[in-house]
Amino acid sequence: MKIYAIILAGGKGLRLGEETPKQFLPLGDKSVIMWSIEAFINSNEVTSVIIVTPEMHRERMNQIIDDMEDSSKIFKIVTGGDTRQESVYNALTCNNFNKDDILLFHDAARPFLSNRVIQDSISLTKIFGASGVYVPAIDTITKIEGDDIISIPDRENLFYTQTPQSFKYDIIKNAHDKARKKSTFRATDDVSLVKQAGIPVKKVEGEYENFKITTYSDYEAALIKVKSFTK
Ligand code: CTP
Ligand code: MG
């Protein structure tokens, strides 16, 4: 049984508004994506790292890997798809995985992933086959249709979704294959595909530090955070 980390960096970062996709922006002494890659490389249990990148940035990605001191855990660079889901699928089909291999899918744009969250994700996935990382919702969330307030779900049961989302290979591959047969193939998140396939998924306690860089102000927050590390 092997443990693969799959770094999803196939996006364009449109909401951030820089020409360079956010995963390649500088953050302290390295790029955003390198923070994510190193989190997994530093985990003893992770065997290999797969990186999904836009085809037009493949050269840049190769260069980043070439510049690494030790790139022995980098297993493959895979071309991304038009959607996150397609990027995940390209990773799922890039190798002859064994059915019990564990795959951890992580947003490249979440640079502050702790070893504790990686370890808990691996442990729970070994036992239950599927897990996702969540933190309690801070804001009250309201369901609205049109301009009508429909309901205000109890905040105690609401969580924000983070990554990694981790699965045994056969579970995630079957879930994707099922979803691809239906016209409803559109989900921003793999846990929802696995749930649709009828498989239960366990919660890993996340950390607010493991936020995703989505907007420019998220990037600024990440820059400030990194500065505080070096003080
Ligand atoms: N991602 C991917 N392939 C895609 C789209 C997204 O691998 N076709 C990755 C992104 O690189 C990112 C993660 O999925 O690390 C989370 O997606 P998101 O925050 O939406 O990133 P982008 O799609 O790049 O940003 P935006 O939606 O603002 O364009
Ligand atoms: Mg996106």
Side-chain angles (χ1 to χ4, degrees):
M1 188 269 293
K2 286 189 175 169
I3 299 178
Y4 294 86
I6 295 165
I7 312 282
L8 294 165
K12 297 193 175 93
L14 296 178
R15 283 171 289 178
L16 194 135
E18 286 285 303
E19 188 139 344
T20 304
K22 57 196 179 184
Q23 58 271 31
F24 301 119
L25 293 176
L27 184 57
D29 60 356
K30 48 189 174 249
S31 51
V32 168
I33 190 172
M34 192 44 83
W35 287 82
S36 306
I37 293 172
E38 281 183 359
F40 289 102
I41 285 186
N42 293 335
S43 156
N44 294 334
E45 278 206 80
V46 172
T47 337
S48 307
V49 175
I50 294 171
I51 300 162
V52 185
T53 185
E55 186 57 36
M56 70 176 293
H57 295 288
R58 185 176 272 271
E59 267 317 303
R60 187 200 293 260
M61 201 59 241
N62 285 338
Q63 194 58 54
I64 290 174
I65 303 304
D66 284 349
D67 291 345
M68 286 174 74
E69 227 163 81
D70 177 8
S71 60
S72 54
K73 277 195 185 181
I74 307 292
F75 177 66
K76 227 172 205 179
I77 300 178
V78 177
T79 299
D82 285 344
T83 62
R84 187 181 184 282
Q85 226 48 57
E86 286 294 334
S87 291
V88 169
Y89 196 75
N90 290 355
L92 283 174
T93 51
C94 79
N95 178 44
N96 249 335
F97 294 103
N98 287 321
K99 83 181 199 357
D100 286 331
D101 286 343
I102 289 177
L103 276 53
L104 290 81
F105 293 89
H106 184 63
D107 295 331
R110 292 183 191 273
F112 305 120
L113 174 61
S114 73
N115 196 46
R116 201 271 304 155
V117 170
I118 295 175
Q119 277 314 117
D120 287 0
S121 298
I122 293 172
S123 306
L124 279 180
T125 307
K126 275 184 182 166
I127 302 167
F128 298 102
S131 73
V133 176
Y134 298 87
V135 286
I138 296 169
D139 304 314
T140 297
I141 295 181
T142 304
K143 183 173 182 198
I144 296 180
E145 284 171 12
D147 53 7
D148 288 324
I149 309 303
I150 303 298
S151 61
I152 298 134
D154 194 347
R155 192 152 49 81
E156 282 208 352
N157 300 320
L158 294 178
F159 291 80
Y160 299 144
T161 306
Q162 300 188 336
T163 66
Q165 294 186 337
S166 313
F167 314 93
K168 291 202 172 146
Y169 171 71
D170 60 341
I171 289 179
I172 186 67
K173 179 66 166 49
N174 287 338
H176 270 256
D177 285 340
K178 264 193 185 171
R180 290 170 76 86
K181 279 189 198 138
K182 295 188 206 151
S183 54
T184 51
F185 179 63
R186 245 198 80 82
T188 55
D189 147 304
D190 295 295
V191 162
S192 72
L193 291 187
V194 167
K195 291 285 299 169
Q196 273 175 44
I199 310 281
V201 181
K202 285 288 171 191
K203 181 195 89 171
V204 172
E205 199 71 49
E207 295 171 356
Y208 292 106
E209 288 72 24
N210 181 29
F211 65 88
K212 180 161 70 71
I213 300 176
T214 304
T215 63
Y216 199 85
S217 68
D218 297 328
Y219 178 48
E220 285 175 327
L223 290 169
I224 289 167
K225 194 173 165 60
V226 165
K227 265 200 189 139
S228 77
F229 292 161
T230 49
K231 269 189 192 143

